Amino acid sequence: MAGVASKVAVIGSGISGAVCASILAKNGISVTIFESARGAGGRMSQRREHCEDGRELLFDHGAPYFTVSAGNLEVQSLVNDWESRGLVAEWKEKFGSFDFSSKKFVDIEEEGSNKRYVGIPGMNSICRALCHEPGVESRFGLGIGTMDWLDEDDAWSLRSLDGQDVGNFKGVVASDKNTFSSRFTNVTGKPPPIDLVSVSDTVLQIKEIPALPCFALMLAFEQPLSSLPTKGVSFKNSEVLSWAYCDSSKPGRSTTSERWVLHSTAEYAEHIISQTGFQKPSPALLTKVAEELFQEFQSTGLNISQPFFKKAHRWGSAFPAASVAGEEKCLWVGKKRLAICGDFCVTPNVEGAICSGIAAASKFVKALSTL
């Protein structure tokens, strides 16, 4: 079909989709990213909040940082390139573990003993840059409602959530779980765009990817929390909190206030959701959650002062609890040129998502070169 030969649609602008799109564009393939949110990032989004006095606060309320495994030269090469472009820097702060049973820090690492990378000036900076590289068109605020494979055209036809025809594409990269998983469709009231039953038996395994919910609590303090010996804390023996980190201690961040982000345990989040359902949390519920998470933080006995800003956010399905692609690192339906990629294909972290995006791009570069 004319005008479609090298066009690929990427659904989702998280790190997996953004990396895939960037590699495709560098190989001369025309890419359009469709993202239902207002900006790029997915779980690497940066949250912008305003206080009652007008002060603006920024929080990395999802993934706080990422690491690269020793020997993963492919990902390390990408990260080195981002670092040279000023998109990434190393976060050189100490992390430790706090035991709620003994009310003591039980393990504090040496500063710089683990390389942690962060986006500059926010975790979403990497995705934002990749989504605007030459050859990549990004359409934000446009969710995909239906995808249909047209045998006569050997192409995918995509329509938006409101039924608008957004074009035909030679291939599709699905990097957003909600594109094919029905686990959270009762949030939108619509079925997922891809009907996996009609696509391939080999990808049916991912129809119900197990995912762990989490509540994030964003806090801002006038003065530093000097009683905490580390800027990152994992919690042991707490049913409520899993970890906390000082967001304002990252390179490239404003230090006019000290900002912390706390993450709940999956068990706590699942308990709340079991009582309230998957619908959008009410302001009253988020206020209740914020109070409970902060009370647990204070119960450490570490002299946590009152913040001047406190707000909770729910991540309903951001943290996958399984890996579905094995050594392939993405799921590939060659006959219909459909790649499914994301951290749920490799490991449930940023590095896994990057690996999966690279793998999906490789499948398309090879497939489209033979057409």
Side-chain angles (χ1 to χ4, degrees):
M1 182 175 178
V4 179
S6 62
K7 288 175 64 178
V8 172
V10 175
I11 303 176
S13 69
I15 190 66
S16 187
V19 163
C20 182
S22 173
I23 295 173
L24 291 177
K26 284 182 171 64
N27 281 273
I29 297 168
S30 176
V31 183
T32 302
I33 294 176
F34 294 97
E35 172 58 63
S36 58
R38 292 174 294 177
R43 187 155 46 96
M44 292 175 71
S45 297
Q46 188 178 59
R47 184 92 170 200
R48 187 184 304 272
E49 296 287 350
H50 290 89
C51 302
E52 291 181 1
D53 61 9
R55 274 186 288 181
E56 182 180 81
L57 302 170
L58 298 173
F59 297 91
D60 292 331
H61 64 317
Y65 64 87
F66 67 96
T67 59
V68 181
S69 302
N72 193 342
L73 301 182
E74 206 167 26
V75 172
Q76 190 64 61
S77 176
L78 272 183
V79 174
N80 292 344
D81 174 60
W82 298 340
E83 200 167 9
S84 70
R85 293 164 59 184
L87 299 174
V88 161
E90 192 179 342
W91 186 17
K92 299 178 180 179
E93 291 286 354
K94 289 189 294 185
F95 274 54
S97 295
F98 181 87
D99 187 348
F100 266 84
S101 296
S102 62
K103 299 292 184 182
K104 292 180 180 178
F105 276 86
V106 293
D107 181 32
I108 297 179
E109 68 183 31
E110 291 297 320
E111 188 173 324
S113 60
N114 291 295
K115 267 200 168 185
R116 297 181 177 90
Y117 296 99
V118 297
I120 301 293
M123 284 298 287
N124 63 346
S125 300
I126 308 165
C127 297
R128 287 174 61 184
L130 297 179
C131 288
H132 291 93
E133 289 188 332
V136 180
E137 177 190 3
S138 294
R139 303 186 67 179
F140 296 106
L142 200 162
I144 297 301
T146 58
M147 285 176 46
D148 296 305
W149 175 255
L150 308 177
D151 282 318
E152 64 275 18
D153 294 324
D154 191 36
W156 287 96
S157 172
L158 272 61
R159 290 186 175 274
S160 64
L161 287 168
D162 60 5
Q164 170 192 354
D165 181 3
V166 296
N168 288 4
F169 296 85
K170 207 65 180 175
V172 170
V173 178
S175 68
D176 182 345
K177 291 187 293 295
N178 294 323
T179 306
F180 48 81
S181 177
S182 60
R183 178 173 167 82
F184 294 100
T185 51
N186 54 349
V187 175
T188 63
K190 297 177 180 292
I194 303 176
D195 178 10
L196 293 180
V197 175
S198 66
V199 172
S200 168
D201 291 340
T202 61
V203 295
L204 287 179
Q205 58 183 305
I206 67 165
K207 193 168 179 64
E208 292 295 343
I209 297 173
L212 301 176
C214 171
F215 282 97
L217 177 61
M218 297 166 281
L219 301 170
F221 300 88
E222 297 286 6
Q223 300 296 328
L225 299 183
S226 55
S227 61
L228 273 71
T230 66
K231 298 299 185 184
V233 186
S234 63
F235 295 109
K236 296 182 178 181
N237 297 311
S238 172
E239 296 179 357
V240 178
L241 287 179
S242 61
W243 42 276
Y245 54 91
C246 181
D247 207 41
S248 54
S249 70
K250 297 176 184 176
R253 269 61 172 181
S254 166
T255 55
T256 54
S257 64
E258 181 155 295
R259 296 177 305 285
W260 284 75
V261 177
L262 281 53
H263 277 202
S264 77
T265 61
E267 292 76 16
Y268 171 84
E270 286 169 344
H271 174 69
I272 296 294
I273 290 172
S274 70
Q275 295 178 320
T276 61
F278 280 119
Q279 68 269 20
K280 183 178 178 180
S282 67
L285 175 62
L286 290 177
T287 297
K288 173 179 178 290
V289 167
E291 287 299 330
E292 290 179 353
L293 295 182
F294 183 67
Q295 284 175 14
E296 185 78 349
F297 194 33
Q298 279 192 313
S299 73
T300 56
L302 293 170
N303 191 25
I304 309 295
S305 60
Q306 284 294 325
F308 67 84
F309 178 85
K310 179 170 54 182
K311 187 173 184 179
H313 170 81
R314 188 189 74 185
W315 291 102
S317 61
F319 303 94
S323 173
V324 299
E327 292 183 2
E328 289 295 309
K329 299 179 182 177
C330 72
L331 294 169
W332 173 247
V333 184
K335 291 182 179 179
K336 296 185 177 180
R337 291 181 296 277
L338 169 68
I340 295 175
C341 64
D343 56 2
F344 52 87
C345 288
V346 186
T347 52
N349 54 31
V350 173
E351 182 183 12
I354 295 172
C355 288
S356 190
I358 293 172
S362 176
K363 294 288 188 184
F364 268 105
V365 171
K366 184 177 180 180
L368 294 178
S369 67
T370 61
L371 291 180

